[in-house]
Amino acid sequence: LIRIGLTDTFEMRLEWPTQTFIHRDTKNNGLKDLALGFKTQISQQQGWIPQFSIAGRLFIPNGDKKLSSSHVDPELQTILSYVLNERFSLFGNVNVGGTGSQNKRFAQFSSSLGLGANLGNSLSAFIEYFGFYPVQAGNRNLHSLQTGLVYQLTHHLQLDARVGTGLNRYADDLFTGAGLSWRF
């Protein structure tokens, strides 16, 4: 993820295509689609009111055929975060996107809720539930749980690693990931 801060509350984003390895089906390995987007902060945390941001992105169909919908797929995210104290915070989002599967377009809703912990020395950890709620193309809702670590190398550069598991039969049994975020 490349984030370019244009103001204190607005950034442009470039999500580089990620390499995906699906163990059970080697025919679906490859690059996912590139995404172009933005994130803007609407309000700061005040009392019991959480910090609120909105993000949008367009997935550009440049990934491998088995991993791309072959269409431009929009997504809108509402992002909430709430600092409980200097060590713990809550975060979550509610999203809606237009996606495609088997040459059919449909709306897909998703959400997450997580707990973050500051471990000190630029290291933090998190645990997060997330789900996808298709309204068409099989109506198979996916529920997953992940945990991970985030290490902030500098104010503008961070690394993350995560591991998770599906909570129902439609979600992946095990998944991992790693990332690099750099803010210009």
Side-chain angles (χ1 to χ4, degrees):
L1 172 65
I2 298 174
R3 307 182 309 185
I4 303 167
L6 300 179
T7 70
D8 289 343
T9 60
F10 186 84
E11 66 185 27
M12 297 301 296
R13 295 173 157 210
L14 171 65
E15 296 179 45
W16 205 253
T18 56
Q19 180 68 38
T20 300
F21 300 99
I22 301 174
H23 178 68
R24 68 180 174 270
D25 184 357
T26 57
K27 294 179 184 173
N28 281 346
N29 294 338
L31 290 174
K32 287 191 170 186
D33 291 337
L34 172 112
L36 303 172
F38 72 92
K39 181 179 177 184
T40 187
Q41 184 180 81
I42 303 300
S43 65
Q44 291 280 350
Q45 179 176 327
Q46 295 178 359
W48 290 98
I49 299 172
Q51 178 178 316
F52 177 66
S53 299
I54 293 177
R57 60 185 171 177
L58 294 173
F59 292 94
I60 309 301
N62 68 332
D64 290 322
K65 284 189 176 194
K66 299 256 182 180
L67 297 171
S68 175
S69 74
S70 300
H71 295 92
V72 174
D73 294 331
E75 182 180 58
L76 181 65
Q77 304 172 309
T78 58
I79 305 163
L80 300 171
S81 61
Y82 189 83
V83 176
L84 298 170
N85 56 41
E86 59 186 48
R87 181 137 188 219
F88 294 102
S89 61
L90 294 172
F91 61 90
N93 60 54
V94 176
N95 314 313
V96 62
T99 190
S101 177
Q102 301 159 350
N103 292 325
K104 294 181 184 177
R105 305 280 297 160
F106 63 96
Q108 181 178 66
F109 296 90
S110 60
S111 66
S112 73
L113 180 61
L115 176 68
N118 180 354
L119 303 177
N121 295 326
S122 301
L123 184 65
S124 60
F126 67 90
I127 186 165
E128 176 184 27
Y129 158 82
F130 65 90
F132 292 91
Y133 320 105
V135 294
Q136 291 180 14
N139 286 322
R140 294 183 176 158
N141 297 333
L142 307 177
H143 304 279
S144 299
L145 187 67
Q146 69 177 349
T147 187
L149 295 171
V150 178
Y151 184 69
Q152 193 164 358
L153 293 166
T154 70
H155 180 69
H156 298 285
L157 185 63
Q158 75 179 24
L159 302 171
D160 67 81
R162 60 198 175 280
V163 62
T165 186
L167 299 175
N168 67 351
R169 69 182 192 156
Y170 300 116
D172 293 329
D173 292 335
L174 176 68
F175 55 89
T176 62
L180 168 72
S181 295
W182 180 13
R183 181 173 53 195
F184 289 92

